[in-house]
Amino acid sequence: MKKLFVTTAIDYVNAPPHIGHAFEKFQADIISRYYRNLGNEVLFLTGTDENSLKNVRSAETKGISTKELVDINAQKFYQLKEALNLSIDDFIRTTEKRHVLGVQKLWQACQKDIYKKIYQGLYCVGCEEFYKESELINGLCPEHKTKPELVKEENYFFRLSKYQNQLKTLIESDKLEIIPSSRKNEVLSFIKRGLEDICISRSTERAHHWGINVPGDSSQKIWVWFDALSNYITALGYNENDKKFQEWWQGNDNILHVIGKGILRFHAVYWPAMLLSAGLNLPRRIFVHGYLTFEGQKMAKSLGNVVDPFDLVEKYGRETIRYFFIREFSSFEDGNFSEKRIKERYNSDLAQGIGNLLSRILALGEQYQTSLILKKNGLQKLIVKTEKIYHQKMQEFRLNEALARVWDLVNALDKFITEEKPWASLKNDQEKFEKDMATLIISLGKIALLIAPVMPETSKKILEDLGLKDVSEKEWANLKVQLKAREPLFPKLESRI
Ligand SMILES: [Zn+2]
């Protein structure tokens, strides 16, 4: 069985999760489920980044200890698993022992490229990163629009410059593939401007005594990004050199990082350089998604427009929310969130779309037992074509485009019912009736299989209603099914909210 290791970024826990976090988790989950359903062995990892200075400051404001703060918020991130129905296999917290020891081991493995020097620079706590004057916009951090702090310290540095050519070749040749290509070009131009060595520690004092100690020097804490990036291997048992680490990292050419565009440099430059230095295997692909804005504005706590994913799930149900995020937003571009669009999509795509289609087919099939013998027709050709394009889009991570194709099929089935009028042939042409019903049942069954990664619960319900559950697709043709009408799968929204 082919292995696939899928990761998301690990989240800062200075505040509870918002829908931006949910969006990334959905994408990684749907990719994981898609490949699992194809018969691959998938390991899906996520977790929390807890050693940041942001947590120390956030805890200070709240008057609680940093440990308390990270425990409370890490719990909320973990609860996304249930709330969003994420098929997560492992959840790592960077305050866990397996991680702390693994990070220190990786530091030692990179020792030949680590040196100490006195340094003065502009540091953004939000990014946990030093900026060059030239990278700032009007003197402010491009990501946070805040003024970075001037820091002067003796710190440890990592010889990133040494890996410039190697990284360039890896990315240019797609041995380390960055998707979409616009992001690949962005990384390449960053590398071509020249890589400078990076500061990978800070004084324990500046870290407020929070974080992972530099091995053999407790006056210094390891830089949060060196620490956080390591989670991808510490979770696999890098420190203990587990069989799991050997199988899922060292011997695996199918490692996928799913990240947001703001942390591309860390994943496509710093992280592979660290791995090269330590003599470890590299990730295979990095899938970079855009950001969500809220009704045209950046989502931020200070703007009071942060949308809570738990609220959305409570209000609309997790299947609807999963569908909405994947169908509504491009995989790669920024997207604009609005609740109005959830209602619109719900009504058009789910209530009047797939839900209504199921109701129509069940009502027709209630009247007569159908043998699922399929004769070739135009709809069948369309299904074969749709399946082909769907798989292609899914494998290019164009998840929204894959779903759009499936909904074209939903519409085509609706049209088929309206045009063929199976109810009219029930009395005088039972052969045609059965043929039409077989077409409809098998087609909707295939749709149910295609939506399974995105809407696993809905998929199961449809297969069950059609009498196709627990029967492999190859066996469908031998079945005789008797359908039974049911309550609408997606009742019209007005009646509920
Ligand atoms: Zn920043």
Side-chain angles (χ1 to χ4, degrees):
M1 245 194 319
K2 200 165 161 56
K3 280 185 163 54
L4 169 66
F5 180 36
V6 180
T7 71
T8 67
I10 51 173
D11 301 307
Y12 281 140
V13 288
N14 60 323
H18 57 67
I19 52 168
H21 299 111
F23 183 42
E24 179 170 302
K25 305 274 184 305
F26 282 143
Q27 292 178 314
D29 184 58
I30 280 138
I31 294 166
S32 299
R33 286 178 185 269
Y34 171 76
Y35 280 100
R36 263 191 220 110
N37 293 351
L38 286 185
N40 296 267
E41 195 184 349
V42 178
L43 202 162
F44 174 17
L45 171 73
T46 181
T48 44
D49 182 357
E50 305 188 359
N51 296 322
S52 161
L53 202 50
K54 279 206 253 193
N55 297 328
V56 179
R57 295 195 176 167
S58 182
E60 275 168 8
T61 327
K62 290 193 166 62
I64 55 175
S65 74
T66 312
K67 178 80 176 95
E68 278 175 277
L69 177 96
V70 300
D71 283 349
I72 293 166
N73 283 334
Q75 189 55 31
K76 287 182 190 150
F77 277 93
Y78 185 72
Q79 284 163 355
L80 287 176
K81 177 180 175 171
E82 174 67 29
L84 307 179
N85 195 15
L86 304 173
S87 61
I88 293 166
D89 297 298
D90 196 357
F91 186 94
I92 188 161
R93 299 181 54 184
T94 58
T95 46
E96 281 176 62
K97 197 174 163 199
R98 61 173 169 163
H99 178 74
V100 173
L101 295 175
V103 172
Q104 290 174 327
K105 182 177 171 178
L106 184 63
W107 178 286
Q108 279 161 329
C110 295
Q111 199 72 61
K112 67 174 191 297
D113 291 321
I114 296 176
Y115 62 95
K116 224 174 173 183
K117 81 166 181 193
I118 294 175
Y119 183 72
Q120 178 172 304
L122 296 162
Y123 197 79
C124 172
V125 174
C127 293
E128 294 281 10
E129 194 194 13
F130 278 105
Y131 277 101
K132 284 184 225 164
E133 202 92 54
S134 61
E135 291 173 317
L136 301 176
I137 297 169
N138 300 324
L140 305 179
C141 162
E143 194 72 15
H144 292 93
K145 322 278 182 249
T146 50
K147 200 168 180 269
E149 297 166 17
L150 185 68
V151 172
K152 190 183 177 187
E153 259 178 19
E154 182 171 37
N155 292 135
Y156 290 96
F157 278 73
F158 174 75
R159 244 181 271 282
L160 183 67
S161 54
K162 184 174 146 186
Y163 294 97
Q164 174 162 336
N165 289 336
Q166 225 173 324
L167 288 169
K168 189 171 147 272
T169 311
L170 276 166
I171 295 168
E172 269 173 351
S173 66
D174 286 334
K175 262 190 96 181
L176 170 58
E177 195 180 345
I178 297 166
I179 304 158
S181 56
S182 56
R183 299 290 171 206
K184 169 184 171 177
N185 295 335
E186 189 183 314
V187 172
L188 283 173
S189 64
F190 173 72
I191 294 173
K192 284 172 191 163
R193 284 200 296 272
L195 295 181
E196 286 175 21
D197 294 351
I198 51 171
C199 178
I200 54 164
S201 76
R202 59 174 158 226
S203 71
T204 298
E205 197 194 334
R206 184 157 65 89
H208 293 244
H209 299 269
W210 185 251
I212 301 176
N213 282 339
V214 168
D217 183 356
S218 62
S219 75
Q220 293 268 319
K221 296 282 183 191
I222 296 177
W223 180 42
V224 188
W225 273 102
F226 190 99
D227 157 354
L229 290 163
S230 313
N231 92 86
Y232 303 129
I233 57 173
T234 61
L236 298 174
Y238 168 63
N239 180 56
E240 302 79 18
N241 196 18
D242 269 3
K243 196 167 151 261
K244 195 172 172 187
F245 171 68
Q246 288 302 328
E247 284 180 7
W248 285 93
W249 191 271
Q250 287 301 83
N252 188 0
D253 66 353
N254 207 8
I255 298 167
L256 170 69
H257 294 318
V258 179
I259 59 162
K261 63 178 184 176
I263 54 175
L264 176 58
R265 188 186 297 182
F266 303 94
H267 284 80
V269 180
Y270 303 168
W271 175 231
M274 287 158 61
L275 292 166
L276 287 170
S277 173
L280 298 175
N281 191 27
L282 297 180
R284 174 69 191 83
R285 285 177 299 173
I286 302 176
F287 161 25
V288 191
H289 63 78
Y291 285 164
L292 294 185
T293 55
F294 180 80
E295 292 171 0
Q297 271 189 312
K298 189 186 165 168
M299 237 179 281
K301 238 171 97 182
S302 56
L303 296 171
N305 62 4
V306 174
V307 182
D308 179 346
F310 295 103
D311 287 349
L312 288 183
V313 165
E314 174 95 41
K315 209 163 160 187
Y316 300 99
R318 60 187 188 182
E319 291 276 290
T320 302
I321 295 305
R322 289 175 66 94
Y323 172 75
F324 173 74
F325 275 89
I326 294 305
R327 177 67 187 86
E328 178 74 3
F329 304 116
S330 144
S331 297
F332 307 128
E333 305 300 321
D334 289 352
N336 184 33
F337 175 85
S338 98
E339 205 172 326
K340 190 170 148 260
R341 290 293 296 150
I342 301 182
K343 292 178 187 161
E344 286 169 3
R345 282 250 177 238
Y346 180 93
N347 280 332
S348 68
D349 300 2
L350 303 181
Q352 288 158 35
I354 198 164
N356 185 51
L357 176 63
L358 176 68
S359 297
R360 289 179 89 182
I361 294 175
L362 293 182
L364 283 168
E366 216 176 17
Q367 307 173 51
Y368 195 81
Q369 198 186 47
T370 308
S371 307
L372 297 187
I373 300 160
L374 199 55
K375 302 265 160 56
K376 286 256 181 300
N377 57 35
L379 204 50
Q380 246 207 314
K381 270 188 218 149
L382 181 67
I383 290 174
V384 172
K385 196 177 145 203
T386 303
E387 282 176 327
K388 195 174 157 233
I389 298 172
Y390 165 90
H391 288 295
Q392 196 184 322
K393 298 283 183 195
M394 288 298 277
Q395 289 168 23
E396 291 170 356
F397 308 135
R398 297 178 182 276
L399 310 180
N400 59 326
E401 293 175 30
L403 266 192
R405 290 304 181 136
V406 178
W407 256 258
D408 287 346
L409 212 48
V410 170
N411 294 334
L413 283 193
D414 254 332
K415 198 165 154 241
F416 180 86
I417 298 177
T418 308
E419 282 172 2
E420 296 298 324
K421 301 185 179 56
W423 61 88
S425 52
L426 183 59
K427 286 213 178 80
N428 46 33
D429 189 353
Q430 285 193 348
E431 199 183 322
K432 177 179 183 308
F433 177 80
E434 262 203 80
K435 223 171 74 184
D436 289 350
M437 284 310 293
T439 298
L440 288 168
I441 293 169
I442 288 184
S443 306
L444 185 56
K446 294 204 175 205
I447 290 175
L449 294 178
L450 297 179
I451 65 168
V454 183
M455 304 173 88
E457 295 166 84
T458 304
S459 167
K460 222 179 264 171
K461 277 185 204 158
I462 295 176
L463 290 173
E464 205 174 336
D465 288 343
L466 297 176
L468 304 175
K469 200 180 150 243
D470 306 323
V471 188
S472 91
E473 203 183 336
K474 287 191 195 92
E475 311 276 295
W476 288 1
N478 302 324
L479 293 179
K480 256 184 189 295
V481 295
Q482 175 76 55
L483 306 184
K484 205 169 153 300
R486 56 124 69 221
E487 292 288 296
L489 206 49
F490 296 100
K492 276 279 187 60
L493 211 49
E494 290 77 12
S495 59
R496 292 197 306 139
I497 290 174

